[in-house]
Each structure stands twice: as C-alpha cells, then as structure tokens.
Amino acid sequence: MRKIYYFFIGFFILILGLEMAFSSEENLQRNNSEPYQEAGFLPSANFSVFENKTFAVVDTLSWKQLGAIKFLKKKHKDYPEGVMFPLVNSTLKAKNKKRVAMSGFIVPIDNTTYALSKNVFASCFFCGQAGPETIMGIKFKGSTPKLKTDQYVTLEGNFRINENDIEDWIYHIEDAVIVKGK
C-alpha cells in the first residue's frame, strides 16, 4: 500500500514538473493570432484571447511607483538659493518612452490643458497637499477631449520623464487615449 502511495506522489510531481517546464516554451511558440486556452493541472497565468489585429504591450504604472522618487538640491541660474531636482529611479527610467496605462483624477490646468493627478482637485499638488510626483502632464492623441474636474480615468500613452526642466512636470503621458472613464 505504501509503495502505491509513493508511486502516485512521484508521478504527480513528475507531471507538474513537466507542465511547468514546457508551458513557458509553448507560450513563446504559440501563434497569438488565434484564440486559445491552456489546459493542464496548473491554472494558466493569464488566459488570453487574441483578435486578428496588432496590439501593443502596455505596462501599468501606479502612483506608488511614481512616488518612489528622491530630490537633490542643485544650483540654477534663475534660482540662486537652488532648486530641488528629481532623481528618478532606474525602474521608471526603463519605462521612459514606452507605452503605459495610468489611472487618476483629471485636474484642469487651463481651458485646454489637463493633468492626471493622484488626488482630487481639492487636495492636489497645487493646493499644497501633495508633491510634484503626484501629477502627470497629459498630451492627448488628436484633439483634446472635453473632461470634467475630478473625473477618474485610465489613460494609455507614451510615458516620458523630465529630470532637467524645472518649469515642466516630472512625469508626462503623451499620445494619450482614454481607455476607461469616458
């Protein structure tokens, strides 16, 4: 009886090991233009259905990631007492100029310009309740849509970091498209 028990445990471990070993190779070789679902003992990491169209890989950013920033006081020609320059971490620098998704509240800058904020307008960066890392400049793809203050949206666009121009935002999302919260 004990031998059968050990045999089944060993067999089960062997099956799981083989599934884990071959599942990553299958994902690389699969033609992504056809719908599929993986079968096996282990749950699929991400079941996907792909349509016959091209898609871009999008990284999702969070305000926590953007908040992991340090500042260094440097001299500046316009500010003799010095200015705090951002030191962006290497993880965010790797995402620079890449396609990202980001969610936040819409904050109007003027009649035609908006920013994406971690906080609502009443406690945003301008009101002294947060730092400059809690807001992103937005440049929409095409014409700028009509948006409401404190409207919660998810944008998809190209992430851009600014570490040198003190008159500009630290973070930007360019060629932005609203994917959720219209």
Side-chain angles (χ1 to χ4, degrees), residues 80-121:
E81 67 279 352
V83 177
M84 300 300 280
F85 281 84
L87 298 173
V88 178
N89 64 51
S90 59
T91 305
L92 286 177
K93 283 185 180 181
K95 297 175 192 283
N96 194 29
K97 298 183 181 175
K98 301 242 169 86
R99 198 92 179 141
V100 298
M102 186 69 187
S103 297
F105 296 97
I106 293 294
V107 175
I109 306 303
D110 58 33
N111 289 340
T112 58
T113 310
Y114 298 100
L116 190 68
S117 177
K118 174 183 176 182
N119 304 312
V120 294
F121 187 72

Side-chain angles (χ1 to χ4, degrees), residues 132-163:
E133 70 278 1
T134 64
I135 200 156
M136 295 179 84
I138 305 172
K139 192 176 281 185
F140 286 100
K141 184 176 189 175
S143 63
T144 303
K146 181 105 171 113
L147 299 167
K148 296 179 184 174
T149 302
D150 293 340
Q151 182 177 344
Y152 192 80
V153 296
T154 299
L155 300 176
E156 189 177 294
N158 299 322
F159 182 58
R160 183 172 64 85
I161 297 170
N162 166 37
E163 291 182 288

Side-chain angles (χ1 to χ4, degrees), residues 3-38:
K3 289 180 184 178
I4 292 174
Y5 179 71
Y6 288 132
F7 171 78
F8 280 114
I9 290 175
F11 182 72
F12 185 69
I13 291 171
L14 176 69
I15 295 295
L16 287 177
L18 288 172
E19 184 174 349
M20 289 172 53
F22 289 107
S23 66
S24 61
E25 287 180 23
E26 289 173 6
N27 287 340
L28 294 175
Q29 296 171 358
R30 179 173 287 115
N31 180 1
N32 288 339
S33 64
E34 298 177 18
Y36 70 90
Q37 179 176 1
E38 294 180 3

